[in-house]
Structure formats: C-alpha cells, structure tokens
C-alpha cells in the first residue's frame, strides 16, 4: 500500500499530505453537542463523520487521542434558565438528561466514545486563566464586568479571518447593532467572560464578575488542556467555521503566540427538503423518530446502521439531503453488501484468482487516503460484492491466499472503518423476520375479509409497543 493520507484542510483551502506533529500519534478535537435538548439527525451526521475519520486513523495504526467536549455552560445559559423555570428542573439535571440521551444515540449509531469527553462546566478555572493571559497580552479588555477579545487590535499583528477567509473590513460593514454591544469597542469583539444577569442560574466567581465563560473559549481551554498549545486535527460542522473556529484560532494565537491547530476539518450539513436541518427552524427529525417510524416525513422506520450506511455513501464534505427515497435506495445497497459479507464466509478458495484481488483491496485504502472518500470506498466494496457473487456462481475464482486477504480487508473496511453493523449484531433481524410473518398472516386475513383477526393482530401488536400503518402499498410497522 503506497498511497498516503491526504486531508482537505480548511486553513489552506486545499488537500494536503497529512503529517502529524509526533510520528504515529494524533491529537484530534471535535466540538461536541450542546446538551439542553435532544440531538437531531444533522448533529448526528457530523459526529458520525468524525467517528469514521477517527476509525480510519485508528485503522491506519495511529495512536489517537480524540477529545470531544460537552457544551453544558456558556452561550446557552439563558435558554437553560428559561427551561428550568418551566420544567422545574435543575440546570445540571437537564444537562444530565440530554448527555445520557446523546450517548444512547451515539451508541445506536455505533460511534466510538471519544478518549476524553470534557464538560465545559468542569473547566471554568482553565478558561479564567486564558482570559487572564489574553488580558495580560493587551488583546482583551474589561467592560462592566465582562471581558471582550479586541479583534481589531489582534488583527494589527495577525489575520482575523485566516480560517474562514473573511475580511475584517467586510465584517465591519456587515455588522448591525447586537445585544450588549455598547459594552464593546467594536461589534466584532466577542466575549471571553460574560457578567451574569440576576436571572442567570449557572454562574461562577471570577476576577471580573460572577458570570460565565464565552462559548468559543470553552473549546480553546479544553482542546489545549488535553492536546497541547498546537495539535493536529480540529473538527466540527461547517456552520462552526465562523465565528466559532475563527475565534478559537484568534484566542489560541493571542494566548500562546502559536497557531492552535494544523488541520481544520469541516463536515458538511444534513438537509431536509433542501434546507439545513436545524433546531431553531424546526426543520429536524430526531434519531428516535426515524428508528421507530413515528414521524410524518419518512415512509417507514429505518435501522440506525442503515442510516449510517446512507451517510457513508456521501462524502463528509458534501451536503446530504435526507429523504425516504434516498434511504430506501441505501437500504437496498446495505442488504446487497451484507449478503455479500455473509457469502464471503462460505465461498471456497482454489489455486488461483481470475481477478486482481490485491488491486481491489488497495483501492479501499486509496479511497480513504483521498480525504476519507467513503462514497468511492463503498463503490469499491460493491465491486467486491459483485466478484463474491461471481465466485459463488462459478463465473470467477479466487485463490485461498486472496480469499483470506479479501475477507480481512472487507471486514476491516465495512465493520471497523465504516462502522457498519449487520442487523444480527444490532439485534434487529429476528424481530424483522417475525414481523414479516405476522404481517403476512394479517394480509391473508384481510383478503378473506376476516376483519376480526386483522384488528386483533393490530391491537395486540400495539399493546406490545408495535404500531402497524396501513396504506395503499401495504402495511408497515414500527416499534416504540
Ligand atoms: P450544536 O449542538 O448546535 O453546537 O451542534 C453540534 C454539532 O452539530 C456541530 O458540529 C454542528 O456543526 C453540527 N450540526 C448542526 N446542524 C447540522 C446539520 N444540519 N448537519 C450536520 N451537522 C450539523
Ligand atoms: Zn467548539
């Protein structure tokens, strides 16, 4: 295998040969979820994209420290306070509830947990220290108990906008009055520390006021604490590039004098009806609603591993639109690939191969080394599936050694790198098979106008937590 990993680096606007700071080791930080509501499928796509990247780096024999934070303080203080009053809950109870929910969803998608999952509220002291350092360097100022980063002063020596490609003049002309802007010297300045208003429940003492840290600062504090002043990879969704990541670059440079990250990776958005999936617009579907089929958007329930496979069929830097038609097509592809994986266990090897197995398995690496090109990898895996079927039908042959190689690499790429599971492994298969039989019996009853039996089956299934939906095309089911 002679191809080498190339990664698209937002900082350079180009694909680059990947070279870690320390050979064989990688520090990777990914912005985690805000845990004051359920994660939607768009959030999940970003975390699945970086899980795939993490898995491929591990498969490439790197020792990876993967840090992904939990945003449980800072910019969502006001929302937490509002919800708390309505729900009569403690803020940390909300945080706990949605953190547990997030972990459950990540588990269903077969995402590896990160090596470290720091919470912002556990790193207030570190954040205060960075504010002090930036104040000492003269690149921040205190105003009415809050501390702001002085963007224009920073920009005199450095380039604010180097990551996102924005120009400070354009940003200045585009700004309108913002809340609390009177405290700032410039509308571009962002809070490192915010003084808490009386209604704020989550607050910490600091040299400037009882308050809370700025959102951008959380990530700077937690990434550098666990990975060093400069580390290899920082990831997040494309929508975080500006201002969040731009501010992280500025804070890192202001506090240590060094660029904090060598490779900035941005995963693209999941859309629904052509619009970004987003909590604020309500254009979302929750993972649970998708797995149970209990939603008005999709025609039936989809298994988490099928949803993951669907996401893997798109490049992580491409926009992906979510629809029943696209998922159904993926489900067919998934079944084809899983059948081939099962066949691979039973086909017999011989003395020689009628196709180039090594070229095929090397193409798996070539795809992933080209900026984690999973759609090309999946296409090559389908090529392999076609060969497996030909071997089975006697149209092609494979040597024993090549069969071992194909088994090893296909398992590695399907299960370890793409993180796909068989339905057996995820426990869905037997129920699917049993439900096929039950729905078949119910169909027969309906054809004989035996409505009593048909309704009995539907009602008893409902008691058991399984909902049957009837339509012109037939019946589908979903479980709670
Ligand atoms: P948040 O909890 O809002 O900070 O978002 C967590 C992660 O989900 C961030 O990396 C966002 O960039 C990402 N994200 C939010 N909406 C979408 C979407 N529609 N598609 C993909 N990623 C998203
Ligand atoms: Zn972040």
């Amino acid at each position: 295998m002679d191809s080498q990993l190339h990664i698209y680096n937002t900082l350079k606007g180009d694909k680059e040969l990947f070279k870690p700071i320390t050979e064989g080791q990688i520090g990777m930080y990914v912005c985690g979820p805000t845990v004051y509501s359920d994660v939607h499928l768009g959030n999940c796509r970003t975390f699945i994209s970086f899980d795939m990247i993490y898995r491929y780096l591990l498969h490439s024999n790197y020792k990876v420290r993967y840090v992904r934070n939990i945003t449980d303080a800072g910019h969502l203080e006001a929302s937490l306070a509002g919800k708390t009053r309505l729900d009569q809950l403690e803020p940390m109870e909300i945080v706990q509830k949605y953190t547990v929910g997030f972990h459950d969803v990540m588990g269903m998608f077969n995402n590896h947990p990160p090596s470290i999952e720091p919470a912002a509220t556990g790193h207030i002291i570190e954040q205060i220290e960075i504010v002090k350092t930036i104040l000492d360097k003269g690149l921040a100022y205190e105003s009415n108990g809050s501390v702001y980063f002085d963007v224009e002063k920073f920009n005199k020596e450095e380039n604010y906008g180097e990551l996102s490609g924005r120009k400070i003049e354009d940003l200045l002309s585009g700004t309108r009055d913002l809340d609390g802007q009177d405290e700032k010297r410039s509308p571009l300045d962002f809070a490192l520390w915010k003084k808490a208003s009386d209604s704020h429940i989550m607050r910490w003492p600091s040299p400037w006021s009882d308050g809370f840290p700025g959102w951008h600062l959380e990530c700077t504090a937690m990434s550098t604490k666990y990975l060093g002043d400069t580390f290899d990879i920082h990831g997040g969704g494309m929508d975080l590039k500006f201002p969040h990541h731009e501010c992280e670059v500025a804070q890192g440079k202001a506090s240590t004098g060094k660029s904090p990250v060598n490779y900035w990776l941005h995963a693209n958005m999941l859309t629904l009806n052509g619009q970004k999936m987003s909590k604020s617009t309500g254009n979302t579907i929750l993972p649970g609603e998708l797995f149970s089929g209990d939603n008005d958007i999709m025609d039936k329930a989809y298994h988490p591993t099928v949803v993951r496979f669907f996401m893997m069929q798109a490049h992580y830097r491409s926009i992906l639109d979510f629809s029943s038609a696209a998922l159904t097509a993926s489900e067919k592809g998934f079944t084809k690939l899983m059948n081939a994986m099962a066949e691979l266990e039973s086909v017999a090897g011989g003395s020689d191969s009628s196709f180039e197995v090594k070229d095929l398995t090397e193409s798996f690496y070539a795809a992933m080394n080209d900026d984690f090109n999973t759609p090309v990898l999946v296409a090559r895996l389908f090529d392999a599936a076609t060969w497996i079927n030909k071997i089975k039908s006697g149209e092609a042959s494979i040597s024993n050694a090549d069969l071992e190689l194909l088994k090893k690499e296909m398992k590695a790429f399907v299960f370890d790198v793409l993180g796909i599971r068989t339905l057996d492994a995820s426990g869905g298969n037997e129920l699917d098979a049993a439900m096929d039989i039950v729905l078949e019996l119910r169909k027969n009853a309906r054809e004989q106008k035996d409505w009593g039996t048909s309704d009995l089956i539907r009602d008893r299934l409902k008691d058991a937590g399984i909902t049957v939906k009837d339509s012109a095309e037939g019946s589908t089911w979903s479980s709670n």
Side-chain angles (χ1 to χ4, degrees):
M1 210 270 299
D2 48 19
S3 75
Q4 287 180 290
L5 178 60
H6 286 71
I7 302 185
Y8 184 91
N9 185 357
T10 307
L11 201 54
K12 303 285 164 60
D14 213 347
K15 275 186 213 169
E16 285 188 312
L17 176 68
F18 177 68
K19 265 185 89 59
I21 296 165
T22 311
E23 204 183 320
Q25 299 185 2
I26 295 173
M28 173 162 100
Y29 184 88
V30 172
C31 296
T34 45
V35 282
Y36 64 99
S37 63
D38 289 312
V39 281
H40 58 66
L41 222 74
N43 305 132
C44 294
R45 182 185 181 205
T46 288
F47 299 127
I48 292 170
S49 293
F50 285 101
D51 181 64
M52 170 275 293
I53 288 171
Y54 177 43
R55 283 166 172 275
Y56 187 59
L57 298 175
L58 291 176
H59 179 71
S60 307
N61 288 321
Y62 285 108
K63 180 170 180 267
V64 187
R65 178 177 292 166
Y66 172 23
V67 182
R68 187 186 63 209
N69 72 299
I70 294 281
T71 294
D72 60 351
H75 71 305
L76 49 96
E77 291 286 318
S79 326
L80 268 175
K83 266 209 148 173
T84 302
R85 253 182 271 114
L86 288 182
D87 296 351
Q88 299 290 302
L89 289 173
E90 281 299 317
M92 287 315 275
E93 194 174 0
I94 298 177
V95 162
Q96 176 72 6
K97 176 179 168 192
Y98 291 112
T99 303
V100 170
F102 170 65
H103 288 159
D104 285 350
V105 170
M106 291 297 101
M108 284 184 226
F109 279 122
N110 200 24
N111 276 0
H112 283 321
S115 331
I116 305 177
E117 194 171 45
T121 52
H123 296 76
I124 304 293
I125 291 171
E126 287 83 347
Q127 296 176 70
I128 290 175
E129 286 307 309
I130 298 175
V131 180
K132 284 187 194 160
T133 307
I134 299 178
L135 275 170
D136 285 348
K137 301 251 167 107
L139 290 167
Y141 56 92
E142 187 188 342
S143 175
N144 191 25
S146 294
V147 180
Y148 293 98
F149 190 93
D150 193 334
V151 171
E152 286 179 62
K153 192 162 177 201
F154 171 78
N155 195 56
K156 288 203 174 92
E157 300 287 321
E158 294 284 351
N159 174 13
Y160 182 79
E162 89 169 291
L163 179 66
S164 59
R166 303 200 185 200
K167 297 242 170 314
I168 199 157
E169 309 81 57
D170 300 343
L171 289 168
L172 276 170
S173 66
T175 47
R176 268 181 260 121
D177 249 24
L178 297 168
D179 184 31
Q181 194 192 303
D182 45 335
E183 290 182 353
K184 300 189 204 173
R185 292 181 190 163
S186 157
L188 296 187
D189 295 351
F190 55 90
L192 297 174
W193 186 263
K194 275 293 267 181
K195 180 180 173 179
S197 64
D198 292 344
S199 60
H200 258 92
I201 305 171
M202 289 176 103
R203 55 169 69 214
W204 292 266
S206 80
W208 317 285
S209 63
D210 270 13
F212 54 94
W215 170 39
H216 314 310
L217 193 61
E218 288 179 14
C219 287
T220 293
M222 291 183 275
S223 59
T224 54
K225 170 160 179 157
Y226 298 109
L227 300 172
D229 289 348
T230 301
F231 54 94
D232 298 297
I233 296 177
H234 191 313
M238 206 74 97
D239 56 342
L240 298 188
K241 199 195 303 178
F242 187 88
H244 185 51
H245 293 160
E246 192 70 64
C247 295
E248 279 190 55
V249 174
Q251 289 167 161
K253 284 190 164 177
S255 59
T256 69
K258 297 177 214 154
S259 188
V261 177
N262 287 346
Y263 299 85
W264 280 95
L265 273 63
H266 289 101
N268 217 328
M269 297 292 110
L270 187 69
T271 59
L272 184 62
N273 301 315
Q275 300 292 317
K276 180 187 166 192
M277 213 178 263
S278 150
K279 193 171 83 75
S280 56
T281 58
N283 186 38
T284 58
I285 181 163
L286 298 182
E289 296 170 342
L290 181 66
F291 307 153
S292 69
D294 188 10
N295 64 77
D296 300 329
I297 301 165
M298 310 305 272
D299 55 1
K300 65 185 191 80
Y302 290 93
H303 195 281
T305 201
V306 171
V307 181
R308 184 173 174 118
F309 182 69
F310 162 74
M311 293 186 183
M312 292 297 125
Q313 284 186 288
H315 191 265
Y316 79 95
R317 283 195 297 113
S318 304
I319 288 176
L320 176 61
D321 195 54
F322 206 67
S323 68
S324 280
L327 265 176
T328 304
S330 277
E331 196 169 46
K332 288 206 178 87
F334 169 82
T335 307
K336 181 176 150 194
L337 188 59
M338 287 304 127
N339 287 343
M341 296 302 286
E343 292 296 349
L344 193 56
E345 294 303 319
S346 60
V347 294
S351 54
D352 53 20
S353 304
S354 62
F355 63 107
E356 293 298 333
V357 177
K358 195 154 173 286
D359 285 358
L360 185 61
T361 55
E362 282 185 358
S363 74
F364 302 164
Y365 287 91
M368 289 302 284
N369 282 341
D370 181 16
D371 192 29
F372 312 103
N373 200 328
T374 56
V376 170
L377 169 63
V378 171
R380 297 290 83 82
L381 290 167
F382 280 143
D383 290 346
T386 305
W387 280 115
I388 293 165
N389 290 333
K390 283 188 182 167
I391 298 166
K392 199 185 156 225
S393 66
E395 290 167 75
S397 62
I398 189 163
S399 72
N400 281 317
D402 277 346
L403 180 59
E404 285 318 304
L405 175 71
L406 191 61
K407 272 188 192 173
K408 176 171 154 264
E409 297 294 9
M410 278 197 81
K411 281 188 196 166
F413 278 87
V414 173
F415 301 129
D416 301 346
V417 174
L418 292 180
I420 300 304
R421 286 198 271 217
T422 62
L423 292 180
D424 283 345
S426 31
N429 217 13
E430 295 87 345
L431 182 60
D432 281 347
M435 282 305 298
D436 284 349
I437 299 168
V438 173
L439 290 186
E440 177 86 34
L441 291 173
R442 183 163 173 270
K443 187 166 157 248
N444 292 345
R446 285 161 73 87
E447 278 166 7
Q448 287 160 26
K449 304 206 178 335
D450 178 0
W451 308 119
T453 304
S454 154
D455 290 351
L456 180 85
I457 293 175
R458 187 198 56 211
D459 295 345
R460 294 293 287 274
L461 284 173
K462 196 166 178 46
D463 293 344
I466 292 173
T467 309
V468 176
K469 266 194 209 166
D470 296 316
S471 72
E473 289 80 41
S475 303
T476 55
W477 64 276
S478 57
S479 61
N480 298 336

